[in-house]
Amino acid sequence: MASLKGSGRRGIGLHLSLIVGVVLSAFPFYWAVIMSTHTTTEIFSYPPKLLPGTHFLENVRSLFDNIDFFGSMFNSLLVACSVTFLVLFFDSLAAFVFAKFEFPGRKVLFALLMVIFMVPTQLQVIPQFVIMAKIGWIGSMSALIVPAAANAFGIFWMRQYMRSAIHDELLDASKLDGAGFLRQYWHVALPVVRPGLAFLGIFTFMGQWNDYAWPLIALTNPDNVTLQVALSQLNGVHGTTDYGMVMTGALLALVPLLIVFAVGARQIIGDLGKGAVRG
């Protein structure tokens, strides 16, 4: 009985801790929603407003009047979706080779990949800008999409996932059926590693959607910017900052991220559940 009571108390304590963690994690999002429904004066009033206000539609109208919200959102969607697709293809293809095939120089190439992985992103900005300028891509979306089409983290992540998820027996069986490299990759490897691809897709899309520094440098035309750069233009409009409008823009910019996360998380959970049932 004592052990049952002790386990019950631990269970209650665990659930209370999880509830507190969820509340603390969700509060910034809730506060953003509250701020987007108030004016700047109401946001800085004391005591602070903890309930929704009545100025959300006014803030939305001000947002659309000050920036090309849908145009910049389209640019962000174009970049994020293109980069995510290319990263999933190139990184999984390279990872499949590193994980399941032997070839001369394999260890040296993977060590070089790890060195690239450890190089800070900030050190790549100047050489990357020089290369894009010589090619003539500065100011175009190609300067954002092509350099990000593959990355060391994605290859490393998918390699580690494939080494444990794809059994050599599956590849041997596919070889006996006459499958070549591309058929093994498409029909054997990809269906097995969908949870890993879903995580990499979410991670890549979020990174590209939230990227601010490189689009600010590469997109020299102020009328052809991504959403994060456009939202930064709201700071100090007409000499003052309308924080209600700014928070409304930030809140609307979260919507695509929530959709991508919901779809990707459902894919991960669904595939893991199928694996548990099969196991």
Side-chain angles (χ1 to χ4, degrees):
M1 291 294 294
S3 60
L4 291 176
K5 290 181 179 180
S7 61
R9 293 193 188 97
R10 286 194 296 270
I12 294 173
L14 177 61
H15 281 81
L16 288 176
S17 301
L18 291 174
I19 292 172
V20 172
V22 169
V23 171
L24 292 177
S25 300
F27 183 76
F29 179 75
Y30 172 77
W31 187 241
V33 173
I34 296 301
M35 292 177 68
S36 67
T37 62
H38 290 285
T39 63
T40 301
T41 303
E42 292 173 340
I43 290 173
F44 287 98
S45 64
Y46 184 84
K49 305 289 185 180
L50 297 178
L51 296 176
T54 59
H55 296 276
F56 180 75
L57 293 179
E58 295 179 14
N59 291 333
V60 171
R61 283 194 292 268
S62 299
L63 174 68
F64 292 165
D65 289 340
N66 282 283
I67 63 172
D68 182 11
F69 183 84
F70 290 107
S72 57
M73 175 177 279
F74 174 79
N75 293 335
S76 289
L77 284 173
L78 175 64
V79 173
C81 291
S82 300
V83 170
T84 300
F85 173 79
L86 293 173
V87 164
L88 290 179
F89 175 70
F90 288 121
D91 285 11
S92 62
L93 191 63
F96 183 50
V97 175
F98 276 118
K100 292 299 175 180
F101 293 91
E102 294 285 347
F103 57 91
R106 174 190 176 196
K107 294 183 178 179
V108 175
L109 286 176
F110 189 73
L112 180 61
L113 182 72
M114 291 297 95
V115 172
I116 296 174
F117 184 27
M118 292 184 288
V119 175
T121 306
Q122 292 80 2
L123 296 181
Q124 305 173 16
V125 172
I126 295 178
Q128 189 167 287
F129 182 86
V130 172
I131 294 173
M132 293 299 104
K134 289 184 177 181
I135 297 176
W137 285 355
I138 291 298
S140 69
M141 293 299 171
S142 299
L144 305 183
I145 297 173
V146 176
N151 57 70
F153 168 76
I155 298 174
F156 172 75
W157 160 252
M158 291 307 303
R159 172 188 177 269
Q160 299 302 106
Y161 195 94
M162 288 179 174
R163 289 185 66 184
S164 59
I166 303 175
H167 299 292
D168 294 335
E169 291 79 4
L170 286 174
L171 297 179
D172 293 337
S174 64
K175 289 178 183 177
L176 292 176
D177 290 337
F181 171 76
L182 289 179
R183 283 191 62 190
Q184 288 179 337
Y185 165 74
W186 190 259
H187 294 288
V188 178
L190 291 188
V192 175
V193 299
R194 281 188 299 181
L197 288 172
F199 168 78
L200 181 59
I202 294 173
F203 183 83
T204 303
F205 187 92
M206 292 180 65
Q208 292 300 315
W209 184 266
N210 292 323
D211 191 15
Y212 170 75
W214 178 241
L216 179 65
I217 296 171
L219 298 179
T220 54
N221 185 355
D223 297 327
N224 188 28
V225 296
T226 58
L227 185 56
Q228 303 304 326
V229 178
L231 290 178
S232 70
Q233 298 172 359
L234 296 175
N235 292 320
V237 175
H238 306 305
T240 59
T241 300
D242 186 343
Y243 288 99
M245 178 180 62
V246 171
M247 292 310 302
T248 300
L251 184 65
L252 294 179
L254 284 175
V255 174
L257 290 181
L258 295 176
I259 295 174
V260 170
F261 182 80
V263 173
R266 183 177 180 182
Q267 178 68 42
I268 294 173
I269 295 172
D271 283 341
L272 291 179
K274 291 177 183 178
V277 172
R278 287 195 298 266

